[in-house]
Amino acid sequence: MIPIQEFLDCLSKNTGIPVTPHMFRHTHATELIRSKMKMSYVQKRLRQASIQTAINTYIHLNTLQLT
């Protein structure tokens, strides 16, 4: 089994795009919001301490990104 960081480093090298685990977290949150999931669910799914943290982190997504 290849360690995740080694895989991401290889992916970054082969694509020329820096890839981090945190990018996947943000992508996951974006897709949840795009799917019209409630922010309370997003908060719980991402294990954030408060719903306000989830809102402050992801509410900047504009309508073009959510369609």
Side-chain angles (χ1 to χ4, degrees):
M1 228 35 198
I2 185 169
I4 188 69
Q5 191 57 55
E6 189 176 328
F7 171 76
L8 295 177
D9 290 343
C10 183
L11 184 62
S12 294
K13 181 180 176 185
N14 289 334
T15 63
I17 301 169
V19 180
T20 66
H22 200 73
M23 292 170 73
F24 288 100
R25 179 181 174 86
H26 279 275
T27 300
H28 181 61
T30 300
E31 291 304 316
L32 290 173
I33 295 167
R34 190 178 283 163
S35 299
K36 309 261 192 276
M37 298 303 259
K38 292 182 179 183
M39 285 307 291
S40 59
Y41 177 78
V42 175
Q43 174 223 348
K44 289 176 185 171
R45 180 80 178 194
L46 298 177
R47 297 182 181 185
Q48 293 176 321
S50 73
I51 193 167
Q52 194 60 50
T53 301
I55 290 169
N56 291 343
T57 304
Y58 301 107
I59 204 66
H60 65 276
L61 299 171
N62 66 39
T63 47
L64 290 176
Q65 291 171 306
L66 297 176
T67 57

